[in-house]
Amino acid sequence: MMQTAAHGAFGMHLMSDKAVITCALNGVLTDPKQHHVPVTPEQMAREAKAAFDAGASVMHIHLRQQAPNHGHLPSWEVAVSREVQEAIRAACPEIIINHTTGTPGPNYQGALACVRETRPEMAACNAGSLNYLKVKADNSWAWPPMMFDNSVEKVQDYLDVMKQAGTIPEFECFDVGIVRCVGMYRQTGMYAGPLDYNFVMGVASGMPADPDLLPILLKLKLPEAHWQVTAIGRAEIWPLHQRCAELGGHLRTGLEDTFYLADGTKVTSNGQLIEAIAACARRAGREIASPAEARQIFGIGH
């Protein structure tokens, strides 16, 4: 439990043992016609409440277009962001909002505006670029090969807006080199606040969802930083969640990341996934952090 020892120095010994659970409610492109993903503010609030009741303190949200039959498409409208956040807060007032910002290409003004205008407590900060690829069983591309570009200039733009908004960045790391970049952002003064790494594992062209990779990633992150794992895949991701819990990481799951429990059951609600990940924490001998404790752990001011 290296984490615990490190935090003991800051008088946070017991607190850091607690696992903060994040629920990734809906993701960016999952089609609500195929899967039970929430789209409207009402659906988002209902799913957030189910996740909160099961132990989640943080809700990671994506915005969808609200017009009929457009729920599978992303939106960057500040008004939609506001409505979704207000609905979630009405359903579970103590909750921490973690806002998406990920968008490929040069036009990311909408994402910046959402953070600037709504001032969520946390937001994703994609910390480096990745060829976003997947190959189907017939050896053809699952989608046209795509570059998820996150240049240093783009990262700086996000960090600047988050600083203005009082929003804590969660550094999304899709590959080992990206984990190392976060340390450079700190070294060069691009960012000086509390550090939170999110190791995204299971994207076909990024880090695999392999528990054996975790000790290496923990060596590469800055020692004082908090960390969690986003495990993308099916039933095979659950040993990774368990290992994360055992090594002192914070936990995340939700309909953005998976639709399956460890036994292969397909879920219909975020609540089922959060119950399962809370059980991972308890098996590792850890308690679940309340929203108030999560705020203290991450250093959230507002």
Side-chain angles (χ1 to χ4, degrees):
M1 293 291 288
M2 298 258 312
Q3 282 297 91
T4 311
H7 289 131
F10 299 99
M12 290 174 66
H13 182 84
L14 290 170
M15 192 64 87
S16 67
D17 255 356
K18 296 207 169 177
V20 177
I21 298 179
T22 297
C23 179
L25 285 165
N26 59 349
V28 65
L29 287 170
T30 324
D31 192 340
K33 289 200 173 86
Q34 292 178 326
H35 303 285
H36 292 268
V37 288
V39 168
T40 67
E42 296 73 29
Q43 290 165 347
M44 293 287 283
R46 193 167 62 236
E47 280 290 295
K49 181 75 166 76
F52 172 72
D53 289 344
S57 297
V58 182
M59 299 297 156
H60 177 63
I61 60 168
H62 286 255
L63 311 173
R64 304 299 191 88
Q65 293 183 21
Q66 298 295 308
N69 297 317
H70 282 64
H72 60 295
L73 297 171
S75 165
W76 292 106
E77 282 183 59
V78 172
V80 173
S81 176
R82 250 196 204 111
E83 277 179 54
V84 165
Q85 291 188 56
E86 282 169 7
I88 290 173
R89 288 190 204 287
C92 22
E94 309 107 287
I95 214 70
I96 296 163
I97 301 280
N98 176 330
H99 205 293
T100 180
T101 61
T103 180
N107 180 17
Y108 49 95
Q109 294 311 308
L112 293 175
C114 282
V115 173
R116 190 187 298 112
E117 302 298 322
T118 73
R119 301 179 64 235
E121 292 97 331
M122 302 178 82
C125 183
N126 295 284
S129 301
L130 185 76
N131 278 318
Y132 216 81
L133 313 174
K134 190 177 180 182
V135 175
K136 292 193 296 199
D138 66 2
N139 299 326
S140 64
W141 293 115
W143 54 75
M146 182 189 110
M147 166 63 110
F148 185 24
D149 59 311
N150 295 290
S151 67
V152 170
E153 294 76 17
K154 193 171 180 178
V155 171
Q156 185 71 72
D157 286 345
Y158 281 123
L159 289 173
D160 289 347
V161 162
M162 289 181 204
K163 190 174 178 181
Q164 286 169 28
T167 298
I168 288 182
E170 176 186 272
F171 289 100
E172 317 293 318
C173 302
F174 299 86
D175 224 332
V176 176
I178 300 177
V179 175
R180 303 176 79 189
C181 291
V182 175
M184 296 184 210
Y185 302 154
R186 169 54 63 80
Q187 249 183 307
T188 55
M190 283 175 64
Y191 177 69
L195 272 180
D196 178 29
Y197 291 77
N198 182 13
F199 304 137
V200 182
M201 303 170 76
V203 174
S205 53
M207 294 190 283
D210 183 344
D212 292 344
L213 193 51
L214 282 180
I216 295 164
L217 299 176
L218 296 186
K219 266 198 296 202
L220 297 175
K221 78 170 187 68
L222 290 179
E224 75 278 13
H226 297 287
W227 64 281
Q228 67 173 348
V229 167
T230 290
I232 294 168
R234 294 192 171 209
E236 78 282 353
I237 62 176
W238 288 93
L240 173 58
H241 285 310
Q242 190 60 51
R243 191 85 183 100
C244 173
E246 288 160 5
L247 290 172
H250 298 296
L251 300 166
R252 164 180 148 155
T253 191
L255 294 173
E256 173 171 9
D257 305 337
T258 191
F259 305 112
Y260 297 93
L261 298 173
D263 65 0
T265 306
K266 188 172 179 182
V267 300
T268 55
S269 166
N270 282 285
Q272 295 159 279
L273 292 169
I274 300 302
E275 275 171 26
I277 211 162
C280 289
R282 293 191 182 103
R283 275 196 297 273
R286 296 173 66 195
E287 288 178 39
I288 311 302
S290 68
E293 289 166 336
R295 283 169 202 279
Q296 220 176 323
I297 288 166
F298 290 136
I300 293 171
H302 70 292

